[in-house]
Amino acid sequence: MKFFVDTAEIDAIAELNDLGMVDGVTTNPSLIAKSGRDILEVTKEICALVDGPVSAEVVATDAETMLEEGKKLAGMAENIAVKVPLTWAGLKTCKALSDQGTMVNVTLCFSANQALLAAKAGATFISPFIGRLDDLNLDGLDLIADIRTIYDNYGFDTNILAASIRSANHMSECAKIGADVATAPPAVIKNMANHLLTDKGLAAFVADAEKAQIKIL
Ligand code: E4P
């Protein structure tokens, strides 16, 4: 499973990228607003930093303007994936951009039917939102599994990009289901390294090493 990092914070992306943990980046208007940076400026910087796809989201809601925005975003770097919402206008934009050879990430997906439409429209990535479904007492992971089954049934090559990930558990569950990519905030990716028994075991090893005066250097 590829790891995308879900942020527009350059320092956080760079830190994970140095460890080989970044296969791509996803942003959205809320994350750009949170960074306090200009969308074009910060997106260009991210594209130069990472080799993989960088999702940059349109802000218009009609197909014509979305297409213009998408072309402008795609023209900034070779690794841009234009992010469009899963609306009828977004699907039209997806088809037009993918026909031109531009990577498209169709976002705000909350149902298997929506994912089926995005694949038909040539999406490179479909972004089902796990956490926001969980917030409504629904099971976001079930949606990932349903989309995996449907795409495998018919050999769609659209990548399942599990999004709205809130916990380390979401990451391992997505990997078990077979999501192609998971995009998560930096803190969630770092949290995947934590285990109570690792901390406890390490404390015991350190104490024993001190008691026995074990030295390597
Ligand atoms: C990624 O593409 C999405 O924009 C993001 O994962 C949404 O996450 P949220 O539901 O935590 O805002």
Side-chain angles (χ1 to χ4, degrees), residues 6 8 10-11 27 30-31 41 51 59-61 72 92 95 115 118 155 165 167 173 185 190-191 204 211:
D6 200 22
I10 296 285
D11 290 351
T27 65
S30 307
L31 293 171
E41 199 183 277
D51 294 330
V59 290
T61 53
K72 182 165 180 179
K92 275 189 192 171
K95 178 79 173 97
I165 284 185
S167 66
E173 289 303 316
K190 283 186 164 182
N191 199 27
K211 213 189 309 171

Side-chain angles (χ1 to χ4, degrees), residues 82-217:
V82 176
K83 214 171 171 194
V84 299
L86 212 155
T87 57
W88 204 248
L91 291 170
K92 275 189 192 171
T93 311
C94 172
K95 178 79 173 97
L97 287 170
S98 62
D99 280 353
Q100 293 170 15
T102 296
M103 287 189 285
V104 183
N105 176 357
V106 181
T107 189
L108 290 167
C109 170
F110 294 96
S111 77
N113 275 334
Q114 289 181 316
L116 193 47
L117 290 173
K120 302 286 271 185
T124 317
F125 301 102
I126 181 68
S127 290
F129 276 35
I130 300 174
R132 293 192 196 187
L133 283 169
D134 288 357
D135 290 345
L136 294 179
N137 222 7
L138 298 165
D139 192 338
L141 290 166
D142 279 353
L143 176 59
I144 304 293
D146 287 347
I147 299 171
R148 182 73 284 157
T149 302
I150 291 169
Y151 281 8
D152 288 350
N153 281 349
Y154 299 100
F156 286 117
D157 55 12
T158 299
N159 290 278
I160 301 174
L161 197 177
S164 188
I165 284 185
R166 305 273 169 81
S167 66
N169 188 51
H170 276 156
M171 293 295 277
S172 47
E173 289 303 316
C174 284
K176 284 197 280 186
I177 292 166
D180 300 290
V181 191
T183 189
V188 170
I189 295 175
K190 283 186 164 182
N191 199 27
M192 291 169 74
N194 295 336
H195 200 290
L196 201 64
L197 292 177
T198 305
D199 297 342
K200 203 176 157 192
L202 182 59
F205 289 155
V206 168
D208 288 343
E210 270 172 20
K211 213 189 309 171
Q213 293 191 322
I214 299 171
K215 284 194 172 39
I216 296 172
L217 297 175

